[in-house]
C-alpha cells in the first residue's frame, strides 16, 4: 500500500513511539483506509472504539460506553456527589469507582491494551473522554494519561459535532470551556500530536476542491457562492433524472421523499429481513431491519464491495432491475451493467485477551446479515457522512449546524454532478470557532520529523525498562503471600502457604538486580552518543539472567493451578492463582519479545507486527502447558486429557489469529470437510449465508460445484439453465420450476455461468 507522507508519519508514530495522535483530514482523504492499515500492521495490542453503535460497527470495534462500562450520563471530573434530575444524570469519579464495576474480561483487555483508537472523534464529548481516562488509570493502576496507553484520535472536527443537552451544559460549563474532545482535561494537559491528511482522493476538480477548502476555513467568497449557485434548479425532478440523490437536513423529509417515490412505482413490493444470530442488539442495527423494494427503485450501497471485482462502493447508486423472494438484481445505467446483490455480514464483537500470547483478539458475539442497500432518492446530510456520490441534489436551505454545508458538498466527486434545489446563502456556513482555532495546532513535516526522532528513542528506552519493571507484579505476589492468615490456616488454601512464601522469595531476589539494570539503561540512553549495539548486548545478557527464574515461576503457577483445580471449595484461591499466572506469564512474554525487539532496533529495520513476530513468544504458553502436563502426570500419576482446560475455566473462549475475509473463513472450514450446517453453526451464521459464500468460491474457482452438489442435480440444473443470461434473475426459473430446485441450488449453478463469462 502506497501511503502519503502524512499517513506514513502516522504509522511510524504508532509503531515507534507512545505519543498520542489526533489524525484528521478533509472528507475523502483516506482516514478510514489508513485506520484499516494501522490495525493490519501495528505490533501493538489494539482496541477500536467509537462514540455510537453504528460508528463502532463501521470501524470494526465497540462503543466507548460498552468497552469502559460507562453509564449514559454526563461526567463531572471530580469526586463530588453525583446529582440527578428527571432530564439529566451526572456521574463523578467517586460514583464510577463505587458503582460501575468492570468484569474480568474487560479489565484484562484494558490491562493488556497498548493502543486505543477512537474513531469519529468529532462526536466525542469532552466529559466522556475524561471518564475514559479515569477508568483506564483506575484499572491499569497507573496515573499516566489513559493509564500509559497510546491513543489515536481519528475524525474530522468539521463534520458531526458532539451532542450535549442544554441542561447538561448548564453544569458542565463550570468544568469545561467547550464540548469537543480537545476541551477535555486530559487533552488540555497532554495534547496529542496533530497530523492532517491533505491529499484528497474523492475530488480531482481543482475549482471544486478550492471551494470546499474555503467552506472548511470560513472564508467563503462571493465568487464561491456564485459558482455553486450556478447549479441551482429549483424545479429539478428526481424521477426524470435517475441516479441523483437528494441530500436534506431532516430525517422526516428524507423518509417522506423515499416513501412517496416508492409508492409511485406500479410494481409489486418485496420485503426483506435480516438474518440475525446470537447477540446483536437492535440499537446497533447498521441499516433498517425491514428493506422494502420494488423493481425500478433507486437504491444506494452502504458498504464497499470486499471482493476483488470492486463492483460497488459505499454511496454508489443504482436501480433495482429484478426482485424475487431471495434475490435482488441492481442495474448501473451508466455502466450498462447488472449485478446480483449479496448479503453482507456485520459482526457484533467484544475484545478478549488470548491467555497464551496475551494478545488482544476479537470474539464474535452475534451477526447481522442483510442486503447492504437502502432506498436512495433521499438521505440526510447527517447519514451521508463517509459516503461518496457522483450525482446529488442538495437541499441546504435549512442548515442548522456549523459545517453541515461542508459535509453535504464534500460528498460529491465534482461540480458536474451537483444540483442545488435553492440558492445558497451565507448564513449557516460558518464552522465552530473553537474547532478552527484548534486546527492551528497542526504539525508540519519538520516538526513531525524532529518529534519522531526524539520520541522513538524515548519509546525504545521505555519499552526496555518496562520489561524489567516488576513492582506491580511483586505487589500482587506480596498480597497473595500475606493473604494466608489465621482464618485460612485450616482451609484448603492454607496448605499451600509454604509454596507461596517460596515463590515470592524467588521474585523478591530479582527486584534489586532488575532495578539496578534499569538504572544502567538510563545511563546508557542519557550518554551523549547512544550505543544501540552495546545496549542490545546488555539486554541479551539481562534476559539470560532473568528469564530462567521468571519462567520457573510460571511453571510453578501452572502446576499449582492444575493441582487446585481438582479440589473442591477452592474457587477463590483458584481465581487468585489465575490472576497471578496472567501477570507472571505477561512478564515472561515481554522478556521473550524484548530479544527480537532489540534485534529489529539494532538493525534499523521498521518496527511492525511482521518484523516483531517471534515463534518463541507465540508458542511459549502452549509449550509450557505441555511441560506442566508431563510434570503433573509424573507427580500425581494422572493423565490430563487433551481437551482439559489448563489454567482457565472451560467457558473461556479463545479467538484465532487476525480476522480473515468472511468468505475465506468459510473456505478454510470447507477444506476441513465440514458440512454447510456445521460451518453455519461454527460461524454463527445461517446456512443460506454459507451457500452464498460457496457460490462466490465457485465463481472465483476456489472450489468446484461438483464438490457441493451431486451429479444428478447438476445435470438437471444444466438443462433448465440452457439459454439463461447470468445477469438475469434466477427468480424466473424459481417461479417456473417451483420446489423442484432450491434457491441455493439455482444461485450455486448461476455462479458457474458467471465463471464461464469471465474466462478468456
Amino acid at each position: 500500500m502506497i501511503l502519503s507522507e502524512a499517513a506514513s508519519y502516522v504509522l511510524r508514530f504508532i509503531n515507534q513511539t507512545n505519543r498520542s495522535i489526533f489524525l484528521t483530514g478533509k472528507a475523502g482523504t483516506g482516514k478510514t483506509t489508513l485506520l484499516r492499515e494501522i490495525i493490519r500492521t501495528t505490533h501493538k495490542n489494539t482496541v477500536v472504539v467509537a462514540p455510537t453503535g453504528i460508528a463502532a460497527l463501521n470501524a470494526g470495534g465497540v462503543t466507548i460506553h460498552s468497552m469502559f462500562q460507562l453509564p449514559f450520563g454526563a461526567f463531572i471530573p471530580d469526586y463530588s456527589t453525583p446529582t440527578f434530575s428527571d432530564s439529566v444524570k451526572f456521574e463523578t469519579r467517586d460514583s464510577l469507582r463505587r458503582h460501575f464495576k468492570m468484569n474480568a474480561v474487560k479489565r484484562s483487555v484494558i490491562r493488556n491494551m497498548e493502543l486505543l483508537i477512537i474513531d469519529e472523534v468529532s462526536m466525542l464529548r469532552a466529559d466522556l473522554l475524561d471518564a475514559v481516562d479515569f477508568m483506564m488509570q483506575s484499572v491499569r493502576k497507573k496515573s499516566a494519561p489513559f493509564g500509559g496507553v497510546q491513543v489515536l484520535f481519528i475524525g474530522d472536527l468539521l463534520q458531526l459535532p458532539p451532542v450535549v443537552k442544554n441542561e447538561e451544559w448548564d453544569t458542565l460549563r463550570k468544568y469545561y470551556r467547550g464540548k469537543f474532545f480537545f476541551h477535555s482535561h486530559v487533552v488540555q494537559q497532554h495534547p496529542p500530536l496533530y497530523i492532517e491528511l491533505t491529499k484528497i482522493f474523492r475530488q480531482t476538480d481543482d475549482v471544486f476542491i478550492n471551494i470546499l477548502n474555503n467552506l472548511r476555513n470560513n472564508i467563503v467568497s462571493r465568487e464561491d457562492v456564485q459558482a455553486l449557485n450556478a447549479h441551482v434548479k429549483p424545479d429539478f425532478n428526481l424521477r426524470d433524472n435517475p441516479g441523483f440523490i437528494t441530500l436534506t437536513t431532516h430525517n422526516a423529509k428524507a423518509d417522506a421523499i423515499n416513501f412517496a417515490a416508492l409508492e409511485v412505482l406500479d410494481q409489486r413490493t418485496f420485503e426483506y429481513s435480516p438474518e440475525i444470530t446470537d447477540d446483536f442488539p437492535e440499537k446497533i442495527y447498521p441499516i433498517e431491519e425491514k428493506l422494502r423494494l420494488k423493481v425500478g427503485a433507486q437504491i444506494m450501497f452502504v458498504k464497499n464491495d470486499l471482493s476483488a471485482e470492486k463492483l460497488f462502493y459505499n454511496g454508489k447508486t443504482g436501480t433495482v432491475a429484478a426482485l424475487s423472494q431471495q434475490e435482488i438484481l441492481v442495474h448501473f445505467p451508466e455502466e450498462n451493467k447488472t449485478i446480483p446483490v449479496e448479503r453482507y455480514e456485520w459482526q457484533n464483537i467484544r475484545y478478549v485477551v488470548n491467555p497464551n500470547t496475551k494478545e488482544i483478539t476479537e470474539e464474535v458475539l452475534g451477526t447481522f446479515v442483510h442486503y447492504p442497500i437502502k432506498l436512495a432518492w433521499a438521505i440526510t446530510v447527517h447519514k451521508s457522512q463517509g459516503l461518496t456520490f457522483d450525482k446529488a441534489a442538495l437541499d441546504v436551505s435549512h442548515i442548522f449546524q456549523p459545517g453541515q454545508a461542508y459535509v453535504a458538498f464534500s460528498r460529491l466527486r465534482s461540480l458536474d454532478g451537483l444540483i442545488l434545489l435553492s440558492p445558497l446563502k451565507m448564513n449557516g456556513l460558518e464552522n465552530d470557532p473553537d474547532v478552527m482555532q484548534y486546527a492551528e495546532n497542526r504539525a508540519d513535516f519538520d516538526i513531525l520529523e524532529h518529534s519522531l526522532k526524539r520520541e522513538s528513542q524515548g519509546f525504545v528506552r521505555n519499552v526496555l525498562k518496562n520489561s524489567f519493571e516488576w513492582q506491580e507484579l511483586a505487589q500482587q505476589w506480596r498480597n497473595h503471600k500475606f493473604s494466608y492468615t489465621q482464618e485460612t490456616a485450616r482451609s484448603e488454601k492454607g496448605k499451600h502457604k509454604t509454596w507461596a512464601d517460596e515463590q515470592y522469595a524467588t521474585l523478591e531476589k530479582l527486584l534489586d538486580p532488575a532495578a539496578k539494570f534499569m538504572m544502567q539503561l538510563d545511563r546508557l540512553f542519557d550518554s551523549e552518543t547512544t550505543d544501540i549495539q552495546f545496549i542490545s548486548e546488555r539486554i541479551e545478557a539481562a534476559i539470560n539472567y532473568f528469564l530462567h527464574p521468571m519462567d520457573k515461576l510460571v511453571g510453578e503457577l501452572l502446576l499449582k493451578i492444575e493441582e487446585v483445580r481438582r479440589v473442591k471449595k477452592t474457587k477463590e484461591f483458584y481465581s487468585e492463582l489465575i490472576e497471578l499466572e496472567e501477570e507472571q506469564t505477561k512478564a515472561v512474554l515481554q522478556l521473550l519479545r524484548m530479544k527480537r525487539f532489540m534485534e529489529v532496533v539494532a538493525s534499523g529495520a521498521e518496527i511492525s507486527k511482521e518484523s516483531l513476530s517471534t515463534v518463541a513468544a507465540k508458542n511459549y504458553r502452549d509449550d509450557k502447558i505441555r511441560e506442566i502436563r508431563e510434570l503433573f502426570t509424573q507427580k500425581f500419576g494422572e493423565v490430563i486429557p487433551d481437551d482439559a482446560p489448563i489454567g482457565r475455566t472451560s467457558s473461556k473462549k479463545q479467538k484465532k489469529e487476525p480476522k480473515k475475509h468472511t468468505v475465506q473463513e468459510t473456505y478454510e472450514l470447507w477444506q476441513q470437510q465440514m458440512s454447510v450446517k456445521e460451518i453455519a453453526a461454527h460461524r454463527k451464521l445461517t446456512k443460506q449465508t454459507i451457500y452464498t459464500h460457496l457460490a462466490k468460491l465457485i465463481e472465483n474457482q476456489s472450489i468446484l460445484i461438483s464438490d457441493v452438489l451431486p451429479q444428478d442435480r447438476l445435470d438437471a440444473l444444466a438443462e433448465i439453465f440452457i439459454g439463461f443470461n447470468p445477469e438475469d434473475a434466477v427468480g424466473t426459473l424459481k417461479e417456473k420450476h417451483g420446489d423442484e430446485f432450491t434457491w441455493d441450488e439455482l444461485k450455486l449453478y448461476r455462479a458457474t455461468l458467471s465463471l464461464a463469462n469471465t474466462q478468456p
Side-chain angles (χ1 to χ4, degrees):
M1 179 180 179
I2 300 175
L3 298 172
S4 67
E5 189 172 4
S8 177
Y9 269 113
V10 173
L11 269 179
R12 289 160 68 192
F13 269 100
I14 291 297
N15 284 324
Q16 299 175 30
T17 80
N18 202 43
R19 180 69 182 271
S20 288
I21 297 167
F22 170 46
L23 168 65
T24 190
K26 304 178 182 70
T29 51
K31 296 184 293 296
T32 300
T33 301
L34 180 55
L35 166 61
R36 294 195 186 102
E37 183 67 7
I38 290 168
I39 294 171
R40 187 183 71 82
T41 60
T42 184
H43 60 91
K44 295 180 178 178
N45 267 343
T46 304
V47 166
V48 180
V49 298
T52 68
I54 300 302
L57 207 60
N58 290 334
V62 299
T63 65
I64 292 173
H65 287 86
S66 66
M67 180 67 247
F68 299 103
Q69 212 152 310
L70 295 169
F72 287 97
F75 176 73
I76 297 174
D78 62 20
Y79 288 94
S80 62
T81 302
T83 58
F84 303 94
S85 70
D86 293 337
S87 57
V88 294
K89 294 181 179 180
F90 289 97
E91 302 293 343
T92 67
R93 292 176 180 175
D94 186 59
S95 66
L96 287 184
R97 185 181 60 188
R98 287 188 291 109
H99 298 306
F100 296 95
K101 301 298 182 184
M102 197 172 289
N103 65 44
V105 172
K106 289 178 181 175
R107 295 181 73 86
S108 181
V109 169
I110 293 173
R111 284 199 302 266
N112 286 276
M113 192 189 304
E114 296 169 309
L115 171 64
L116 174 65
I117 299 178
I118 306 180
D119 197 23
E120 299 293 3
V121 75
S122 68
M123 296 185 284
L124 177 60
R125 292 168 43 151
D127 60 320
L128 179 58
L129 185 58
D130 278 336
V132 170
D133 174 48
F134 172 73
M135 294 299 281
M136 292 183 72
Q137 289 191 40
S138 300
V139 173
R140 292 173 62 87
K141 299 177 182 176
K142 293 181 180 178
S143 59
F146 302 102
V149 171
Q150 184 180 31
V151 182
L152 172 62
F153 304 94
I154 302 179
D156 183 356
L157 295 177
L158 294 177
Q159 298 200 23
L160 301 180
V163 176
V164 181
K165 299 176 184 176
N166 290 333
E167 305 96 301
E168 292 176 323
W169 187 241
D170 287 342
T171 298
L172 290 176
R173 71 193 323 154
K174 301 172 186 176
Y175 301 89
Y176 296 100
R177 287 180 38 245
K179 60 187 177 181
F180 288 94
F181 89 98
F182 56 81
H183 289 121
S184 65
H185 292 190
V186 64
V187 169
Q188 290 285 309
Q189 295 163 14
H190 307 278
L193 198 61
Y194 190 128
I195 301 181
E196 181 174 354
L197 302 181
T198 56
K199 180 175 175 57
I200 297 174
F201 298 96
R202 182 175 293 152
Q203 294 93 14
T204 56
D205 178 353
D206 289 339
V207 173
F208 190 33
I209 290 173
N210 186 60
I211 292 174
L212 292 176
N213 285 339
N214 289 345
L215 276 172
R216 283 180 67 88
N217 297 323
N218 288 345
I219 53 173
V220 182
S221 67
R222 190 178 302 276
E223 290 75 20
D224 293 332
V225 175
Q226 289 175 348
L228 293 173
N229 283 340
H231 296 266
V232 173
K233 292 184 180 180
D235 300 323
F236 186 76
N237 191 324
L238 281 170
R239 295 173 196 163
D240 297 336
N241 294 273
F244 275 86
I245 184 169
T246 297
L247 265 69
T248 185
T249 50
H250 293 79
N251 280 312
K253 193 167 186 179
D255 291 341
I257 292 172
N258 284 325
F259 179 79
L262 187 67
E263 289 300 304
V264 167
L265 296 176
D266 186 20
Q267 298 285 339
R268 175 187 170 188
T269 300
F270 284 81
E271 192 171 276
Y272 303 91
S273 299
E275 301 166 5
I276 302 171
T277 55
D278 293 343
D279 182 14
F280 204 105
E282 184 176 351
K283 64 184 178 182
I284 64 167
Y285 285 0
I287 55 178
E288 292 293 330
E289 183 177 6
K290 299 296 183 183
L291 174 64
R292 295 177 67 249
L293 295 176
K294 292 180 180 180
V295 171
Q298 182 165 295
I299 61 88
M300 174 183 72
F301 285 85
V302 298
K303 298 299 292 185
N304 295 327
D305 183 7
L306 298 178
S307 71
E309 293 84 4
K310 307 297 180 189
L311 299 174
F312 54 86
Y313 55 82
N314 190 5
K316 184 170 185 176
T317 58
T319 304
V320 175
L323 294 170
S324 57
Q325 288 180 341
Q326 295 192 34
E327 188 178 38
I328 300 173
L329 267 64
V330 169
H331 182 65
F332 302 123
E334 294 183 357
E335 303 168 40
N336 193 25
K337 188 170 190 175
T338 301
I339 66 168
V341 181
E342 297 178 359
R343 288 177 179 256
Y344 186 91
E345 175 193 337
W346 285 269
Q347 295 181 338
N348 178 29
I349 68 162
R350 73 166 179 171
Y351 290 103
V352 296
V353 175
N354 184 313
N356 289 341
T357 63
K358 303 308 172 189
E359 293 174 344
I360 294 176
T361 57
E362 296 172 8
E363 178 182 314
V364 178
L365 300 177
T367 58
F368 179 100
V369 181
H370 210 339
Y371 294 105
I373 58 177
K374 64 189 298 182
L375 293 176
W377 285 285
I379 190 174
T380 62
V381 175
H382 182 99
K383 291 181 180 177
S384 74
Q385 185 167 342
L387 303 181
T388 301
F389 302 125
D390 292 312
K391 297 185 287 187
L394 271 58
D395 175 16
V396 292
S397 58
H398 296 93
I399 292 295
F400 59 89
Q401 285 182 338
Q404 204 171 33
Y406 168 73
V407 174
F409 283 109
S410 62
R411 300 306 98 202
L412 277 159
R413 290 189 187 276
S414 72
L415 284 170
D416 294 337
L418 171 65
I419 295 294
L420 279 178
L421 299 179
S422 60
L424 188 66
K425 299 176 182 178
M426 294 297 290
N427 62 304
L429 297 187
E430 288 193 359
N431 294 309
D432 191 293
D434 282 356
V435 171
M436 303 309 296
Q437 183 179 358
Y438 184 60
E440 296 174 3
N441 294 315
R442 67 174 64 90
D444 60 31
F445 289 135
D446 288 339
I447 292 175
L448 291 178
E449 185 62 32
H450 177 74
S451 180
L452 181 63
K453 289 179 180 178
R454 184 183 70 253
E455 301 266 356
S456 292
Q457 184 162 308
F459 174 70
V460 172
R461 177 182 190 160
N462 289 332
V463 168
L464 296 179
K465 288 183 63 179
N466 288 341
S467 299
F468 301 93
E469 174 52 72
W470 299 321
Q471 287 301 325
E472 188 175 329
L473 174 63
Q475 186 60 52
Q476 280 190 259
W477 273 107
R478 197 175 293 117
N479 293 343
H480 182 70
K481 168 185 167 69
F482 289 107
S483 69
Y484 293 83
T485 61
Q486 289 183 344
E487 288 76 16
T488 64
R490 296 181 181 179
S491 67
E492 181 62 34
K493 177 180 177 179
K495 300 175 184 178
H496 305 276
K497 181 180 185 305
T498 301
W499 172 86
D501 291 342
E502 291 173 351
Q503 307 320 309
Y504 173 69
T506 298
L507 181 63
E508 189 178 34
K509 290 177 183 176
L510 302 177
L511 298 181
D512 186 54
K516 290 178 179 177
F517 180 67
M518 287 188 286
M519 291 172 61
Q520 183 184 15
L521 285 175
D522 281 333
R523 288 194 299 271
L524 292 173
F525 276 99
D526 286 338
S527 62
E528 292 185 8
T529 56
T530 303
D531 189 340
I532 292 295
Q533 291 296 337
F534 180 69
I535 291 174
S536 181
E537 293 171 8
R538 297 305 306 140
I539 288 293
E540 184 171 359
I543 290 173
N544 290 336
Y545 177 82
F546 290 112
L547 184 58
H548 176 70
M550 293 290 283
D551 169 73
K552 189 172 182 296
L553 283 169
V554 173
E556 288 286 348
L557 279 163
L558 287 172
L559 193 61
K560 187 60 64 178
I561 286 169
E562 271 304 309
E563 182 181 347
V564 170
R565 183 163 60 85
R566 286 158 169 75
V567 181
K568 294 181 179 179
K569 298 182 180 180
T570 58
K571 185 177 180 180
E572 188 175 339
F573 182 32
Y574 174 82
S575 297
E576 291 177 28
L577 294 174
I578 288 293
E579 289 186 13
L580 270 173
E581 183 268 321
E582 180 176 338
E583 293 303 314
Q584 187 66 46
T585 298
K586 188 163 70 172
V588 171
L589 287 173
Q590 283 181 303
L591 290 176
L592 291 173
R593 289 175 177 139
M594 204 44 48
K595 185 174 182 180
R596 177 59 186 160
F597 179 83
M598 275 312 302
E599 289 173 355
V600 172
V601 170
S603 68
E606 182 180 345
I607 301 174
S608 67
K609 180 188 294 185
E610 185 177 358
S611 66
L612 293 183
S613 179
T614 162
V615 175
K618 191 178 185 65
N619 297 336
Y620 170 74
R621 194 165 182 276
D622 282 337
D623 292 342
K624 200 69 184 171
I625 286 172
R626 277 193 292 272
E627 175 188 328
I628 294 308
R629 286 183 178 184
E630 293 176 4
L631 286 173
F632 194 84
T633 302
Q634 295 170 9
K635 187 173 182 179
F636 297 98
E638 179 182 346
V639 177
I640 304 173
D642 287 341
D643 61 351
I646 307 300
R648 289 293 184 272
T649 60
S650 58
S651 62
K652 186 104 171 186
K653 298 180 182 177
Q654 297 177 21
K655 282 303 290 177
K656 298 182 177 65
E657 286 294 314
K659 191 170 22 177
K660 305 179 181 70
H661 186 278
T662 183
V663 176
Q664 178 66 20
E665 286 192 51
T666 294
Y667 176 57
E668 292 180 2
L669 295 173
W670 180 262
Q671 286 184 309
Q672 296 174 27
Q673 307 299 312
M674 291 178 68
S675 68
V676 171
K677 182 178 180 181
E678 290 169 337
I679 296 173
H682 180 82
R683 296 209 54 208
K684 301 182 187 297
L685 296 170
T686 65
K687 289 195 293 183
Q688 183 183 344
T689 299
I690 301 304
Y691 274 117
T692 301
H693 294 170
L694 295 180
K696 178 62 68 176
L697 292 168
I698 290 169
E699 190 174 328
N700 64 28
Q701 305 181 61
S702 297
I703 65 174
L704 299 173
I705 192 171
S706 56
D707 295 334
V708 186
L709 298 177
Q711 191 59 46
D712 61 329
R713 300 303 289 167
L714 293 178
D715 293 341
L717 286 162
E719 189 171 332
I720 70 167
F721 269 89
I722 292 174
F724 181 81
N725 185 339
E727 289 194 351
D728 290 342
V730 296
T732 56
L733 295 176
K734 182 66 175 170
E735 289 179 8
K736 181 177 180 180
H737 297 280
D739 294 335
E740 184 179 350
F741 300 95
T742 68
W743 280 104
D744 295 322
E745 288 176 325
L746 294 171
K747 291 178 181 178
L748 288 170
Y749 198 85
R750 182 176 63 185
T752 67
L753 302 182
S754 300
L755 168 62
N757 280 0
T758 58
Q759 290 180 335

